[in-house]
Amino acid sequence: MSRVSKTLKNAKIGVLFYVITIFANFFSRKIFLEYLGDDFIGLTTTLQGILGFLNLAELGIGTAIGFTLYKPIFKKNYELINRILALFGNLYKKVGFITLITGVVVSLFFTLIFKDVDFSYTIIYFVFYCYLSSTLIGYFYNYHLILLEADQKGYVVTQYYKSFTLFRLILQSVVLLYFKNYYLWIGIELFFAIIYSFTLRRKIQKIYPWLDLKYKSNKSILKEFPEIIKKIKQIVVHKIGGFVLNGTDQLLIFAFVNLESVAFFGNYQLIFMNLLGLLNNLFAGTAAGIGNVVAENNKNTIKKVFWEMMSLRYFIAGTICVALFYLTEPFIALWLGEKYILNSAIFMVMLLNLFIMQIRGPVDNFKQAYGLYDDTWAPIAQSIINLVISVALGYKYGILGIMIGSLVSLLLIIIIWKPYYLYKRGFKINCGLYWIGFLKLLISFIVSFICFHYIAVKYATFKFENYLEWSFSAIKITIVFSIIYFLTLYIFNKGFKDIVLRAKLLILKKYQDGK
């Protein structure tokens, strides 16, 4: 399969499964909140945030190994792939033991952390250790899935993961409806994690019959690939910055507000993260594809693909965020009730964060393809900015202050620094060219939104009595805005014209092949 074909297959399968599981997530969330309560859902979210902190030991290994696998996969050097994966397995097992030990140590302090929570320590420990066990399975047994990602076969992981997630959510919902039991609900989480891991490992063996799952590595491979350890150390710092950005919000809300607010915030996060996951699956395989583009080292192709990806990301992110702007609060009111609607200012900052997280994708992918991670000061600065502002404003303004901390750190590091670093060290051309293209895309979005908002305010209403009315409005808003935005981007942005032309040629080729 070609690079483009693999990317499209990843996208199609990813989108299909995400659409199915999105409905399951929203349906099950309502049941979970009703039968488990806001505080318990807040508790599980907080425990997952703590577990995310423990997983900092892993940060960087998977990305560094994935970067190292691109060339051996391209050259079909199976012996070298086996050796690299064996090294990855050894490193991951060490991380697993570190995570296990730190998890046990942290859990000893739960009596202090959760002293004001109205749940027994038995259930708190049971939930935490089920989540911890689910994570450790990946470290000790299921690390080979990185080969699928590096080989642009992430759709295999998506198929299995989303299928198991769907069945898990259904079974958990049924258990709550009939038994209303916390322990069964969490136990199902662990059970499905075990079954998923074993099933996916068997699938990997079928796809790569040459893969030796029992291959033993030694320290000599580290001498052969000294850049692996160097990259791991650099990426760890970058990943810590990412964790502070995405993984500390719930912990800070728990610290400065309460468990119930964690659940309220989590409802919005469920919407945003599902859409973010959908978009990530839409672009699944592009990181590996970009790695191949960079490996070919054709500067004109690299530049062309970069702006195609930037234009496409802008189009999709802009369309999604505009639809969310008009539809999220009415949906929350229909789905859970008006009491779950957060302050509009919080919502707006969350939308801005989501938009930035989407348009950053191409820069991150090309940085990864070039192996550019030695700007370790940037994630440290991002983390400090995020935490200082979040703590200072969170104490006074609650969730809004915490969100503003994330936004400021994104603007300074993600929007300003990272593109400059990519252009200077990767593309090795003037960064001014990036800002010209960036501003064209941003202005195209702003102009499209202003035009659409004028139409929406004049002719539309955003109060809905039922899901059917909401769904029709969602379709109309998405279609009308996307048409306006499509035309604006096509007229003023060459990258968008190029990707439209590429899509036309691909469709024409498929049509001719079909004939």
Side-chain angles (χ1 to χ4, degrees):
M1 294 176 69
S2 70
R3 180 171 63 238
V4 175
S5 297
K6 286 182 177 180
T7 300
L8 288 174
K9 186 169 184 179
N10 276 302
K12 286 188 291 186
I13 292 176
V15 169
L16 173 64
F17 276 88
Y18 247 93
V19 168
I20 295 170
T21 52
I22 279 173
F23 286 104
N25 273 319
F26 286 119
F27 176 76
S28 60
R29 178 78 174 189
K30 186 175 180 65
I31 293 175
F32 296 166
L33 285 168
E34 183 177 347
Y35 287 89
L36 295 173
D38 299 337
D39 284 346
F40 185 76
I41 295 299
L43 172 67
T44 59
T45 305
T46 303
L47 288 171
Q48 287 172 328
I50 293 172
L51 187 60
F53 178 77
L54 299 181
N55 285 333
L56 288 176
E58 182 275 341
L59 297 178
I61 297 176
T63 305
I65 296 294
F67 168 75
T68 309
L69 283 171
Y70 289 150
K71 285 187 179 178
I73 290 173
F74 182 73
K75 295 180 179 180
K76 297 183 180 180
N77 188 336
Y78 300 143
E79 170 65 20
L80 182 56
I81 292 171
N82 273 310
R83 294 172 66 195
I84 292 174
L85 285 177
L87 170 65
F88 181 47
N90 286 340
L91 292 173
Y92 245 37
K93 286 172 185 174
K94 291 177 182 177
V95 170
F97 282 116
I98 293 172
T99 304
L100 174 61
I101 293 168
T102 53
V104 172
V105 171
V106 169
S107 70
L108 298 177
F109 296 92
F110 280 178
T111 53
L112 297 175
I113 297 172
F114 297 104
K115 62 181 180 179
D116 297 323
V117 173
D118 295 329
F119 292 102
S120 69
Y121 290 118
T122 304
I123 188 62
I124 293 174
Y125 278 105
F126 184 76
V127 172
F128 178 75
Y129 277 105
C130 279
Y131 284 147
L132 179 60
S133 300
S134 299
T135 300
L136 293 177
I137 292 169
Y139 290 143
F140 291 120
Y141 188 75
N142 216 31
Y143 53 86
H144 295 91
L145 62 83
I146 193 173
L147 178 58
L148 293 170
E149 300 290 351
D151 196 25
Q152 286 190 276
K153 290 186 173 69
Y155 58 85
V156 176
V157 179
T158 299
Q159 282 177 317
Y160 280 88
Y161 180 75
K162 290 300 176 183
S163 296
F164 277 91
T165 298
L166 180 62
F167 287 118
R168 172 179 61 78
L169 291 172
I170 292 171
L171 186 56
Q172 283 180 313
S173 299
V174 171
V175 163
L176 283 182
L177 289 170
Y178 286 95
F179 299 102
K180 302 178 184 178
N181 188 290
Y182 292 144
Y183 295 95
L184 275 176
W185 186 78
I186 291 296
I188 291 170
E189 188 100 21
L190 177 58
F191 173 76
F192 271 88
I194 295 170
I195 299 300
Y196 161 74
S197 296
F198 279 95
T199 306
L200 187 59
R201 186 180 174 106
R202 289 176 62 87
K203 181 65 177 179
I204 291 171
Q205 287 178 300
K206 290 182 180 180
I207 295 175
Y208 304 107
W210 46 264
L211 182 62
D212 186 356
L213 298 178
K214 298 181 180 179
Y215 194 101
K216 301 294 183 183
S217 72
N218 52 53
K219 294 183 179 179
S220 64
I221 196 170
L222 290 176
K223 297 179 181 179
E224 184 178 348
F225 292 99
E227 71 271 18
I228 290 181
I229 299 301
K230 179 182 177 182
K231 293 297 179 189
I232 288 174
K233 290 177 180 177
Q234 293 172 348
I235 295 169
V236 163
V237 183
H238 285 272
K239 293 290 186 177
I240 290 174
F243 169 77
V244 172
L245 176 66
N246 300 309
T248 58
D249 289 343
Q250 292 90 345
L251 298 176
L252 290 172
I253 293 169
F254 169 63
F256 290 120
V257 194
N258 52 45
L259 276 180
E260 183 182 57
S261 294
V262 175
F264 281 40
F265 177 76
N267 296 330
Y268 280 77
Q269 283 292 86
L270 179 63
I271 297 172
F272 286 11
M273 296 311 294
N274 269 291
L275 284 172
L276 197 60
L278 179 64
L279 295 177
N280 288 340
N281 273 271
L282 186 64
F283 289 98
T286 56
I290 287 169
N292 291 331
V293 169
V294 171
E296 291 169 6
N297 199 31
N298 184 316
K299 291 187 177 181
N300 289 329
T301 302
I302 289 170
K303 179 182 175 182
K304 187 171 183 289
V305 170
F306 176 77
W307 284 110
E308 286 177 356
M309 297 307 299
M310 282 292 292
S311 300
L312 185 58
R313 284 275 187 168
Y314 252 90
F315 177 69
I316 294 175
T319 302
I320 291 291
C321 287
V322 167
L324 287 172
F325 175 76
Y326 292 103
L327 296 165
T328 300
E329 291 184 355
F331 178 75
I332 293 283
L334 285 172
W335 175 37
L336 301 171
E338 292 189 1
K339 82 164 191 171
Y340 288 95
I341 295 176
L342 292 174
N343 180 280
S344 295
I346 298 172
F347 174 55
M348 288 302 301
V349 177
M350 291 177 73
L351 269 182
L352 286 171
N353 287 345
L354 177 67
F355 184 78
I356 294 171
M357 292 297 289
Q358 271 307 298
I359 63 172
R360 69 179 289 183
V363 173
D364 285 346
N365 289 338
F366 274 87
K367 275 183 79 267
Q368 179 180 339
Y370 279 106
L372 297 175
Y373 297 109
D374 56 355
D375 60 329
T376 50
W377 70 268
I380 295 172
Q382 182 181 348
S383 300
I384 293 171
I385 293 167
N386 190 351
L387 284 176
V388 169
I389 296 176
S390 294
V391 170
L393 297 184
Y395 181 77
K396 186 173 183 180
Y397 299 107
I399 298 176
L400 177 60
I402 294 167
M403 291 293 96
I404 290 174
S406 298
L407 177 61
V408 173
S409 67
L410 282 171
L411 289 172
L412 293 176
I413 303 301
I414 303 302
I415 295 298
I416 296 176
W417 164 253
K418 285 197 174 185
Y420 168 79
Y421 180 61
L422 172 64
Y423 266 67
K424 182 180 179 181
R425 294 287 302 278
F427 298 161
K428 296 180 180 178
I429 57 178
N430 190 339
C431 189
L433 297 172
Y434 171 81
W435 289 114
I436 292 170
F438 177 87
L439 287 173
K440 284 182 179 180
L441 290 170
L442 184 61
I443 291 169
S444 297
F445 171 67
I446 293 171
V447 169
S448 300
F449 176 71
I450 291 172
C451 292
F452 177 78
H453 188 67
Y454 173 79
I455 297 170
V457 169
K458 193 171 183 179
Y459 298 104
T461 178
F462 300 103
K463 291 184 179 181
F464 310 108
E465 298 294 329
N466 52 59
Y467 286 111
L468 187 61
E469 288 183 5
W470 183 91
S471 299
F472 279 129
S473 288
I475 293 169
K476 286 189 290 184
I477 287 170
T478 304
I479 292 174
V480 174
F481 177 77
S482 62
I483 291 172
I484 295 172
Y485 196 22
F486 182 96
L487 293 174
T488 308
L489 283 171
Y490 190 82
I491 293 169
F492 296 106
N493 296 274
K494 185 179 182 300
F496 198 72
K497 286 182 183 177
D498 289 341
I499 202 163
V500 170
L501 178 60
R502 186 191 291 269
K504 286 180 180 177
L505 293 174
L506 188 61
I507 292 170
L508 181 61
K509 184 178 183 303
K510 283 186 173 289
Y511 175 74
Q512 291 174 341
D513 291 344
K515 289 182 106 179

